[in-house]
Amino acid sequence: QFTPGSTFYATRDPRRERSPEGTMDKEAKLQWKEPRQGRSKALVDAIFEATLRILPKVGNDNFNTTKVAEAAGVSVGSLYQYFPSKDALVAAVIELTVKSCSANVEKKIDEIGRDQKSIEESVSTMIDFMMEFFLAERERVAEIFKRAPELGRMETILKLRRHGVERLANEFERFEPGLTRDEYLQIAHVCANSVMGVIQTALYEEPPSYSREILGAELKIMLTAYLNERIRVARAAACTTTPIE
């Protein structure tokens, strides 16, 4: 699911989150050098792939660049040419995973727009996708995102979530026209963050209380009921405020 490739290099945003103090020094240590030639891109891809294999096995506490270099079949010196520290490598992998998720979300929402016939079907399909994407490889995803706050990458994650809310709002408006834009955004916000809240708990709960299939089924029941009632209330409110000519 989290495959390194040319898309990551092409879409990488050089801007970074800012903290109140020590921003430049801390952020400079997290910068990594983008590969520019085919051979160097292949080397960096090998490093990313090795990181994605090793990180969930050993955890962040035991993770180091030596293990990654050995698994990638490169020297530690070659790794340090692109990543000045293990923190820089983990931060880059967080960005890679977020961009991979973003691309897959875009693709899935486009599919929903073509194939689904109702707002309930759209939400059900999106829940299945998100549960599969984040929880099918639970240990890997949990380790990748565990250090996001510490490494200043939460804004990258939240930006993805806000974009997903915008896209969902567009789909809701297409299926159920007649509400205000703010209402569509509110509904999409509640749906997206309800799903992600359950996913975040499932990622870090040891052991998980429920399977992703059970959690997905419960989310569908909850959000279907919420959507039906929320749209009914919005339409009723619109009727009471519409002047009679």
Side-chain angles (χ1 to χ4, degrees):
Q1 289 177 334
F2 313 115
T3 305
S6 59
T7 301
F8 180 51
Y9 307 126
T11 59
R12 179 171 176 258
D13 187 348
R15 292 171 298 178
R16 294 291 182 265
E17 295 81 359
R18 294 291 181 258
S19 56
E21 297 180 1
T23 299
M24 295 308 296
D25 290 342
K26 180 178 179 180
E27 192 56 46
K29 295 177 182 178
L30 299 179
Q31 295 292 320
W32 63 282
K33 178 183 174 182
E34 292 189 51
R36 300 188 180 280
Q37 298 179 349
R39 179 178 296 181
S40 58
K41 288 181 179 180
L43 184 148
V44 169
D45 277 350
I47 292 171
F48 278 136
E49 289 167 359
T51 302
L52 291 171
R53 291 198 310 272
I54 292 172
L55 190 56
K57 292 180 181 179
V58 303
N60 273 282
D61 292 341
N62 297 313
F63 175 80
N64 61 55
T65 54
T66 301
K67 292 177 181 177
V68 173
E70 291 175 355
V74 304
S75 68
V76 175
S78 294
L79 185 150
Y80 279 129
Q81 287 182 13
Y82 296 94
F83 304 96
S85 66
K86 78 170 187 177
D87 286 352
L89 180 54
V90 173
V93 167
I94 292 171
E95 294 175 8
L96 168 65
T97 305
V98 169
K99 290 180 184 298
S100 176
C101 181
S102 178
N104 280 277
V105 167
E106 288 288 326
K107 181 178 178 181
K108 181 56 63 174
I109 291 178
D110 288 341
E111 290 176 3
I112 288 172
R114 292 193 307 267
D115 303 333
Q116 304 304 317
K117 301 298 188 289
S118 70
I119 194 172
E120 292 85 2
E121 286 184 7
S122 297
V123 170
S124 178
T125 299
M126 185 54 67
I127 288 172
D128 287 339
F129 167 75
M130 297 301 284
M131 301 300 280
E132 172 74 16
F133 189 93
F134 285 101
L135 298 182
E137 298 182 72
R138 174 178 169 272
E139 292 80 8
R140 173 183 289 190
V141 177
E143 288 297 334
I144 288 172
F145 287 116
K146 182 180 290 185
R147 298 190 62 208
E150 175 190 348
L151 298 178
R153 293 302 179 263
M154 283 306 299
E155 181 57 29
T156 300
I157 296 170
L158 293 175
K159 183 179 179 180
L160 168 64
R161 193 178 299 189
R162 288 193 295 269
H163 180 67
V165 166
E166 290 274 354
R167 289 297 309 274
L168 278 179
N170 293 341
E171 291 303 309
F172 292 168
E173 186 172 6
R174 185 172 67 85
F175 284 119
E176 296 286 346
L179 279 61
T180 68
R181 182 61 182 173
D182 280 346
E183 286 176 315
Y184 290 119
L185 288 171
Q186 290 167 16
I187 293 169
H189 176 87
V190 169
C191 289
N193 286 285
S194 295
V195 174
M196 289 310 301
V198 170
I199 286 174
Q200 286 174 326
T201 299
L203 279 175
Y204 296 106
E205 187 178 42
E206 292 291 352
S209 296
Y210 302 101
S211 69
R212 71 175 188 269
E213 291 80 11
I214 290 175
L215 293 174
E218 293 297 318
L219 281 167
K220 290 175 187 179
I221 293 170
M222 180 183 75
L223 291 180
T224 297
Y226 163 71
L227 285 167
N228 288 332
E229 180 63 12
R230 181 64 178 82
I231 291 170
R232 185 194 67 78
V233 169
R235 294 200 185 287
C239 289
T240 59
T241 57
T242 301
I244 301 176
E245 296 183 359

